[in-house]
Amino acid sequence: MEKSFFIDTTICTGCRGCQIACKQWHDLPAESTKNLGTFQNPPDLSFVTYKLVRMKEEVIDNKLNWLFFPEQCRHCIEAPCLQIAENPKAIYKDSDTGAILYTAKTSDLDADAIIESCPYNIPRKRDDGTLAKCDMCNDRVHNGLKPACVTACPTGTMQFGDRQEMLDMANKRLAEVKAKFPNASLLNPDDVNVIYLAAHDPKLYYEYAVASNNRAEKGISRKVALRKMMGPFASLMRV
Amino acid sequence: MTNHWIDLKNSDCILIMGSNAAENHPISFKYVTEAMRNGAKLISVDPRFTKTSSKADIYTALRSGTDIAFLGGMIKYILDNNLYNKDYTVEYTNASFIVGKDFTFENGLFSGYTKGKEGQGPSTGSYDKAKWAFEVDEKGIPKMDKTLQDPRCVFQLMKKHYERYTPDVVSTITGTSQEDLLTVYKTYSATGETGKAGTIMYAMGWTQHTVGTQMIRTMCMIQLLLGNMGVAGGGVNALRGESNVQGSTDHALLWHLWPGYLKGPKASQDTLTAYNTKWTPKSSDPQSVNWWQNYPKYAVSMLKSFFGDKATKENDFGYSWLPKADDTGSYSWFDIFDAMYKEKIKGFFSWGQNPACSGSNSGKTRQALEKLEWLVNVNLFDNETGSFWRGPGVDPKKVKTEVFMLPAAVSVEKEGSIINSGRWMQWRYQGPKPMGDSRPDGDIIMELFNKIKELYHKDAPVANKGKNNKKGKKSNQNSKGGVFPEPILNLKWDYETNGAYDPHKAAKEINGYFLNDVTIKDKQYKKGTLVPNFTMLQADGSTSSGCWVYCNSYTEDGNMAARRDTQDAPNNIGLYPKFAWAWPLNRRILYNRASMNPKGEPWNKDKWVVKFAGEQKDGKWTTTKWEGDIPDGPAFPLQNPDGTKREDGKNPFIMQKDGYGQIYGPGLADGPFPEHYEPLECPVEKNYLSPQMVNPTAVVYSTDQDSHATCDPRFPFVGTTYRVCEHWQTGLMTRPQSWLMELQPQMFVEMSEELAALRGIKNGERVKVSSARGEVKCTAMVTKRFKPFKIGNGIVHQVGVPWHFGWRWPDSGAEESANLLTPSAGDPNTRIPETKAFMVNVTKL
């Protein structure tokens, strides 16, 4: 059955246990960083950083908020990256879990086109053009474990399970938090397997917290634009 | 914690003040979150908007060091608006006690004060606490007025004391707006309603001040007034800063204690009788359990654990073999390094610590290390302490100290127990074997002691240490064997199995044994068996127990700390009584008899902690039976079901001599009521509450390395220190870890946008933070999360720095310890340093 994450940012404390757990499970090297005047580090996702807690300080209704957004690949139900790659040896979907997976063969792809195709600005390339991103800890999931980031989370922000169960949890929680946060919403819940709950305007958390059409307009290739326009039919028509 | 981690979920209102729990105790937020989902309110009060604040319903800021003013205002608010829990306050606290006529409070000073002699420090002054005593009747029982109307009763004196803490004055001191003060007061005071529970989560933000103990006491008073002690979701909860610091404190890490919070003996207590008499309180009130009346049983059992068969009644069970402190002496961390700096200490074991970075005024500490002849560094890795001789500004050629490194095993490489903040003793098994030459602390101590013993035994000339001259040159006059060998040679030391330290043997010794065949209440106990619990410990030498509060942790039924049963107790409030073990007696919530009314019925029927379920006949209890948590004593409740008083009923605060919660606390060094004083280094010219600026009993050191600057234009901003989630204490275990360094790579200073503009500082640029004691380079983190305070007629800026860094890692050597800035001044009760409020400057590099 297709799996989903539910990420309840209203209870995220920004401890970044998830970020470290991701590095640990995937045995990814640390980046050499500097303090850039914020707790957020590294500054962005990278080929060796699949999970990043983005942090923003925002005054909303005269009240200061410190917004935490534990970001990762959304494992889209109709993943644009997979669609434009047209190379299942490079990018494929695990039909058991719904994970969108990248292999070393991504080096054969047009990396920039793949990156541009992502409405959430997730994939990152190495110098040789190989792409990487969150793999849903697919190996763990197949062995009955939850993704490392979920296991590490102390507050229950990170949840993982069957898609329907996660959707139910997300909708129930949304209804609960509406009393405190009337503008709360689930971010693109129908399109993705990583369902975020945000208390405020999602753009305040991160430019690409919700799917962005802007990315397509910003110099995206004609092919990608056409595929996006045609949606799920694109792969059938092999555009 | 009087309660425990899981119990946070039972609260209706959680105040986090003096702590940034979301950052530093991240797991606690599992339970805080659960409480909030059940409708609890979260209040965060902190000079800086923190990760904790980001989750709070109510956030407000106060200037560092002004918490007593803030909380004193809450006491006034509770009293003015009659929000205190009247039944609880009258029945269970000393609010009704009549205070003796000698107690006064004028101009910021309590009665009985004597100023310390200049230069004779470190204590700046002291009180004669006899002046603060209660009035007692002919039996020695405090006089009471349960109407709380007597002008000399605690309640009325408290009212008078906090009358001055008006929202206006409090706001002027703290910089918190009056509106915010009232919002916090109103929200928290709502837990005074019967059946509601409020809790406080605090940490070093309260302890690390010259008035730290009194900050906590102010909150204790609020908790008593609101009836929040002993109940589920209530209590006063100290979040300990290390995973096993609760255990180390229980086992007498601190100089002035013996294990189990027995007192360390003083020179004037020259016999065991004198010692026991001094510390065994007497109460003739039949309703007071006065638990400490058992003091001699615990003291003698401890001595029997130390010295075994060598401890006999005739030799005072070896009492004279243990060190006595000078009556007026102090041997705290501060005093050790002060003495070391003054060349009064020759050798030092730095065990599992990194004083070159962790103690306040680290510059002085580092210089003190240079004055040692030898230093043994027992740690996982080399650190700034072990390598002090090649640290910044030190010429190795000029350092004579010989340094030894003993590599220690990591906690997961050892078997043993860890005691968490909630007093839960949890047994842990060995994971990987110790790496390389590293060894468990137990084995290092063992070999060290065996060697020392061997030297004392040896019939060879040994330098008489007392005759060494100042330069460490050995005297020609030698003596045979060691000086005063009895404590060493008589120490019982049988914790080995196959030549290695055996944590089970140590744990059993801590629990204690029957040393003879004994019969207690018609039941026989065999010599050599483990004592079931501390109610069976004896003062005649027939039992041993290394730490009485742990007696019951390892019994003939097995290792209680190793239990992992996840079934909850019948009250279903998260006690999990068969998961691990909690001191005392597996009691999960302390003073839990106060969770019931005097008839034995829980104040809160849904989240009850203990319930009296004895049989009754004609409106009178006839048998005792308890349900729920282990009660604080199995006696009858104070009243029968028909409301008549029971002479055999017991008051709930069993560790207090009189059995009542102490709203008036005559035992502390700095006064029976907390009073606001400014930090030793502060930004204001005057204390808005009294002419007394600083705690008149504060501990202040006075070598040339102990400079302080108050209202000094060179250091205009308030500074404070704190931790981040990604680093551990001085960073020894985390700074060499690249994943963690990726997240928090550099020393930083957080400041408001306003202060940054004032100094022309840009976010992310390197700046210099300096104090009267030192300077540190930091990356500026300019943030909305700090805001300038309006204090009196002026603006006060505050900045904050983490104390995790040191020159040894990262390799750049450019990230240094925040404790180079902090002052060597502290609380008179604990000698904890005032690292949470001091004065600094911030300048562009």
Side-chain angles (χ1 to χ4, degrees):
Chain A
M1 196 185 291
E2 202 144 298
K3 302 285 181 189
S4 288
F5 291 81
F6 168 47
I7 303 182
D8 180 357
T9 66
T10 67
I11 55 174
C12 175
T13 55
C15 77
R16 303 194 275 190
C18 55
Q19 200 174 318
I20 290 283
C22 180
K23 288 250 161 170
Q24 186 177 28
W25 182 255
H26 295 98
D27 204 12
L28 294 166
E31 299 183 43
S32 175
T33 58
K34 277 189 164 178
N35 188 314
L36 299 170
T38 166
F39 274 53
Q40 182 182 314
N41 231 336
D44 194 11
L45 294 172
S46 75
F47 187 78
V48 294
T49 301
Y50 305 162
K51 176 102 188 173
L52 174 70
V53 180
R54 296 191 184 273
M55 303 186 179
K56 290 278 285 292
E57 293 169 19
E58 292 288 341
V59 176
I60 305 167
D61 296 335
N62 292 319
K63 202 182 154 195
L64 180 60
N65 285 267
W66 200 359
L67 303 176
F68 305 119
F69 193 72
E71 176 170 60
Q72 64 186 82
C73 168
R74 308 297 198 281
H75 299 279
C76 298
I77 291 164
E78 298 292 342
C81 61
L82 179 147
Q83 288 167 2
I84 70 151
E86 294 184 314
N87 180 353
K89 285 189 175 149
I91 301 181
Y92 68 102
K93 180 172 185 165
D94 181 330
S95 56
D96 286 344
T97 60
I100 305 294
L101 299 164
Y102 286 15
T103 73
K105 293 276 183 201
T106 48
S107 59
D108 296 344
L109 304 175
D110 175 352
D112 292 334
I114 300 287
I115 293 168
E116 281 164 13
S117 77
C118 177
Y120 304 98
N121 186 28
I122 296 293
R124 294 290 183 273
K125 67 175 178 181
R126 192 166 57 185
D127 290 346
D128 67 357
T130 314
L131 290 160
K133 63 159 192 74
C134 161
D135 62 1
M136 199 191 261
C137 287
N138 207 39
D139 47 354
R140 290 173 63 92
V141 176
H142 274 284
N143 285 283
L145 297 172
K146 293 191 175 185
C149 55
V150 176
T151 307
C153 178
T155 60
T157 300
M158 301 289 309
Q159 300 285 342
F160 184 80
D162 291 341
R163 176 165 172 83
Q164 194 53 49
E165 186 199 340
M166 289 299 109
L167 273 172
D168 293 347
M169 191 186 279
N171 282 309
K172 182 165 173 263
R173 182 63 182 154
L174 175 65
E176 260 173 47
V177 304
K178 279 274 189 182
K180 202 185 270 187
F181 306 111
N183 296 325
S185 64
L186 301 177
L187 312 186
N188 304 119
D190 300 331
D191 303 333
V192 295
N193 277 320
V194 179
I195 305 154
Y196 285 90
L197 168 57
H200 308 285
D201 175 2
K203 297 268 178 194
L204 295 175
Y205 293 76
Y206 175 51
E207 190 181 356
Y208 304 117
V210 282
S212 170
N213 296 324
N214 292 347
R215 283 181 57 73
E217 286 155 17
K218 274 186 206 160
I220 197 167
S221 72
R222 209 175 63 82
K223 187 175 167 186
V224 175
L226 184 60
R227 291 187 62 93
K228 282 188 88 72
M229 201 169 70
M230 298 184 66
F233 301 107
S235 55
L236 295 175
M237 312 217 8
R238 302 199 64 80
V239 178
Chain B
M1 294 168 96
T2 59
N3 295 39
H4 59 104
W5 291 110
I6 298 173
D7 183 63
L8 294 168
K9 74 173 185 177
N10 294 315
S11 195
D12 297 302
C13 186
I14 299 171
L15 172 61
I16 304 184
M17 189 167 171
S19 152
N20 178 9
E23 181 99 47
N24 301 321
H25 300 87
I27 311 293
S28 71
F29 259 65
K30 179 184 169 92
Y31 305 107
V32 173
T33 302
E34 196 173 337
M36 291 177 80
R37 290 182 83 151
N38 294 331
K41 288 265 184 272
L42 174 64
I43 305 172
S44 162
V45 181
D46 198 292
R48 171 184 62 135
F49 186 100
T50 64
K51 288 182 179 172
T52 302
S53 316
S54 80
K55 293 280 114 21
D57 297 290
I58 299 166
Y59 164 73
T60 193
L62 85 175
R63 170 170 63 96
S64 264
T66 62
D67 304 56
I68 291 175
F70 191 105
L71 296 174
M74 173 132 62
I75 292 178
K76 178 177 163 57
Y77 180 88
I78 290 168
L79 298 177
D80 286 354
N81 295 286
N82 278 316
L83 295 168
Y84 61 100
N85 187 313
K86 290 186 189 60
D87 292 340
Y88 192 105
T89 303
V90 171
E91 299 294 343
Y92 295 156
T93 78
N94 67 11
S96 65
F97 286 27
I98 309 295
V99 176
K101 300 235 161 16
D102 286 347
F103 167 79
T104 59
F105 178 76
E106 279 159 19
N107 295 324
L109 284 173
F110 296 94
S111 44
Y113 183 68
T114 309
K115 201 172 171 8
K117 284 186 191 135
E118 207 68 47
Q120 303 263 308
S123 180
T124 51
S126 63
Y127 282 107
D128 171 11
K129 294 181 219 169
K131 300 275 187 205
W132 310 336
F134 295 117
E135 274 188 23
V136 294
D137 64 15
E138 61 286 355
K139 285 191 207 146
I141 301 171
K143 291 184 184 168
M144 301 178 203
D145 171 23
K146 293 227 170 182
T147 68
L148 308 183
Q149 295 306 310
D150 189 303
R152 295 294 301 175
C153 81
V154 166
F155 188 83
Q156 293 298 334
L157 291 176
M158 165 173 59
K159 206 166 182 174
K160 188 171 166 222
H161 190 85
Y162 293 104
E163 224 160 42
R164 301 166 294 135
Y165 288 61
T166 61
D168 182 31
V169 170
V170 171
S171 175
T172 303
I173 293 169
T174 59
T176 314
S177 73
Q178 291 193 43
E179 190 191 347
D180 280 3
L181 286 173
L182 293 172
T183 305
V184 173
Y185 294 169
K186 189 178 174 197
T187 308
Y188 196 78
S189 309
T191 64
E193 190 186 320
T194 297
K196 294 276 178 210
T199 192
I200 169 67
M201 294 163 69
Y202 76 90
M204 310 310 146
W206 271 0
T207 56
Q208 293 179 348
H209 293 278
T210 42
V211 290
T213 308
Q214 295 284 18
M215 281 184 188
I216 299 157
R217 244 195 69 68
T218 323
M219 194 65 208
C220 294
M221 293 168 69
I222 291 171
Q223 290 297 69
L224 287 169
L225 284 169
L226 298 175
N228 280 332
M229 297 306 293
V231 303
V236 172
N237 295 307
L239 316 182
R240 312 302 308 255
E242 292 223 25
S243 59
N244 201 16
V245 78
Q246 183 65 51
S248 59
T249 318
D250 299 339
H251 290 292
L253 173 79
L254 301 173
W255 73 269
H256 66 298
L257 294 173
W258 274 3
Y261 303 94
L262 301 176
K263 309 284 184 182
K266 305 266 186 184
S268 60
Q269 296 142 23
D270 54 350
T271 64
L272 180 59
T273 309
Y275 168 77
N276 278 334
T277 307
K278 170 80 182 167
W279 299 117
T280 308
K282 288 196 174 55
S283 169
S284 49
D285 184 344
Q287 304 217 294
S288 177
V289 172
N290 182 25
W291 195 266
W292 282 116
Q293 67 176 296
N294 298 304
Y295 196 99
K297 298 175 186 172
Y298 309 147
V300 171
S301 294
M302 192 208 82
L303 290 167
K304 286 298 289 183
S305 260
F306 269 52
F307 299 115
D309 294 340
K310 298 281 168 47
T312 64
K313 196 160 190 301
E314 292 65 41
N315 66 17
D316 260 2
F317 301 104
Y319 174 77
S320 64
W321 300 331
L322 286 178
K324 313 289 178 293
D326 282 347
D327 280 43
T328 54
S330 173
Y331 308 85
S332 70
W333 169 281
F334 268 148
D335 302 299
I336 289 170
F337 286 99
D338 196 60
M340 197 185 290
Y341 184 76
K342 292 170 178 164
E343 298 188 53
K344 289 177 183 164
I345 292 178
K346 288 184 170 24
F348 183 62
F349 272 85
S350 177
W351 206 307
Q353 53 176 281
N354 189 9
C357 290
S358 64
S360 65
N361 199 3
S362 287
K364 179 181 173 185
T365 306
R366 293 177 187 187
Q367 289 196 34
L369 294 170
E370 290 184 36
K371 301 179 194 262
L372 291 169
E373 283 179 19
W374 54 265
L375 166 68
V376 182
N377 192 27
V378 190
N379 218 315
L380 309 183
F381 310 118
D382 179 39
N383 56 10
E384 286 78 4
T385 302
S387 278
F388 80 91
W389 51 273
R390 58 190 182 108
V394 183
D395 178 359
K397 288 195 204 97
K398 292 186 180 150
V399 179
K400 66 175 173 30
T401 317
E402 191 173 6
V403 181
F404 303 88
M405 171 78 196
L406 301 182
V410 188
S411 65
V412 296
E413 295 170 337
K414 301 179 285 188
E415 184 175 11
S417 66
I418 285 197
I419 291 90
N420 74 11
S421 302
R423 297 167 287 103
W424 288 27
M425 176 186 185
Q426 306 187 75
W427 199 262
R428 296 185 181 182
Y429 301 97
Q430 185 184 40
K433 297 256 184 294
M435 203 183 241
D437 291 334
S438 66
R439 300 176 69 189
D441 297 293
D443 289 290
I444 298 174
I445 292 170
M446 192 97 119
E447 187 171 335
L448 179 67
F449 182 70
N450 287 340
K451 199 76 197 168
I452 291 169
K453 205 166 183 174
E454 192 184 305
L455 289 170
Y456 272 84
H457 264 306
K458 229 178 193 172
D459 192 24
V462 170
N464 185 335
K465 288 169 190 164
K467 299 273 171 71
N468 284 3
N469 68 22
K470 225 184 169 183
K471 285 169 190 159
K473 219 167 116 187
K474 278 173 189 167
S475 149
N476 293 327
Q477 202 178 343
N478 291 331
S479 65
K480 301 262 179 179
V483 177
F484 189 32
E486 290 84 355
I488 305 294
L489 299 182
N490 291 336
L491 192 68
K492 186 170 87 77
W493 197 260
D494 51 3
Y495 313 122
E496 269 180 60
T497 299
N498 299 327
Y501 163 76
D502 183 340
H504 290 275
K505 285 186 175 167
K508 287 177 181 176
E509 185 68 61
I510 285 166
N511 179 84
Y513 294 97
F514 288 109
L515 306 174
N516 301 320
D517 291 347
V518 292
T519 306
I520 300 169
K521 287 181 185 163
D522 299 332
K523 204 167 168 210
Q524 287 200 320
Y525 297 93
K526 286 274 169 223
K527 176 180 177 175
T529 59
L530 293 157
V531 180
N533 64 61
F534 56 61
T535 63
M536 297 183 185
L537 295 177
Q538 306 296 328
D540 60 4
S542 62
T543 56
S544 67
S545 176
C547 183
W548 72 276
V549 295
Y550 282 85
C551 187
N552 184 230
S553 62
Y554 206 131
T555 68
E556 293 298 320
D557 293 331
N559 182 354
M560 298 293 126
R563 298 178 305 171
R564 291 295 182 269
D565 187 329
T566 53
Q567 198 183 338
D568 204 352
N571 44 2
N572 212 25
I573 54 168
L575 299 178
Y576 300 102
K578 290 182 182 168
F579 188 97
W581 179 90
W583 70 259
L585 301 175
N586 205 29
R587 183 174 298 135
R588 305 283 158 138
I589 296 182
L590 298 181
Y591 297 122
N592 53 30
R593 285 174 65 111
S595 70
M596 317 176 307
N597 67 21
K599 293 180 191 172
E601 300 156 347
W603 299 114
N604 183 334
K605 304 264 184 298
D606 297 326
K607 294 177 190 164
W608 58 280
V609 183
V610 288
K611 199 187 268 182
F612 188 73
E615 291 166 46
Q616 51 173 300
K617 200 184 168 190
D618 304 331
K620 309 279 190 276
W621 299 118
T622 55
T623 59
T624 52
K625 189 184 167 199
W626 290 88
E627 288 174 2
D629 196 10
I630 309 292
D632 258 299
F636 281 105
L638 289 162
Q639 292 174 9
N640 283 307
D642 63 7
T644 52
K645 187 180 171 184
R646 287 193 72 103
E647 293 304 326
D648 56 359
K650 299 292 180 193
N651 293 319
F653 287 88
I654 62 172
M655 302 311 286
Q656 300 300 341
K657 187 175 85 170
D658 301 303
Y660 292 83
Q662 295 201 69
I663 283 178
Y664 181 87
L668 292 183
D670 34 14
F673 288 130
E675 170 70 2
H676 166 75
Y677 301 111
E678 287 292 331
L680 179 68
E681 290 191 334
C682 70
V684 291
E685 298 280 358
K686 66 172 195 171
N687 177 349
Y688 289 89
L689 275 162
S690 80
Q692 183 65 40
M693 273 298 278
V694 178
N695 183 346
T697 58
V699 170
V700 182
Y701 292 79
S702 53
T703 69
D704 58 345
Q705 288 296 311
D706 295 292
S707 38
H708 306 106
T710 210
C711 291
D712 184 326
R714 292 175 302 158
F715 306 107
F717 312 129
V718 177
T720 194
T721 63
Y722 38 72
R723 304 195 303 185
V724 298
C725 194
E726 296 79 9
H727 285 296
W728 182 249
Q729 310 293 58
T730 67
L732 185 67
M733 290 199 286
T734 52
R735 282 186 276 130
Q737 217 294 336
S738 61
W739 288 330
L740 297 169
M741 285 305 276
E742 178 191 75
L743 297 177
Q744 285 292 2
Q746 285 178 296
M747 181 66 183
F748 62 82
V749 55
E750 285 181 276
M751 68 185 76
S752 68
E753 291 169 343
E754 292 82 354
L755 176 55
L758 193 71
R759 282 290 196 245
I761 291 168
K762 285 190 209 68
N763 190 33
E765 78 172 306
R766 291 289 270 184
V767 296
K768 183 173 87 178
V769 181
S770 54
S771 79
R773 293 154 297 277
E775 58 182 60
V776 178
K777 287 185 183 118
C778 303
T779 301
M781 212 185 265
V782 180
T783 172
K784 292 181 171 38
R785 294 177 295 98
F786 257 125
K787 282 279 166 199
F789 293 100
K790 188 174 173 296
I791 306 291
N793 295 320
I795 295 295
V796 170
H797 294 278
Q798 180 164 352
V799 301
V801 284
W803 60 277
H804 299 297
F805 290 92
W807 60 270
R808 196 66 185 75
W809 288 282
D811 290 336
S812 68
E815 314 303 327
E816 260 288 21
S817 173
N819 279 316
L820 293 167
L821 306 171
T822 55
S824 32
D827 179 286
N829 300 286
T830 60
R831 305 213 168 202
I832 292 178
E834 189 156 63
T835 56
K836 291 297 175 264
F838 51 94
M839 298 304 290
V840 297
N841 194 11
V842 183
T843 47
K844 281 171 82 81
L845 275 178

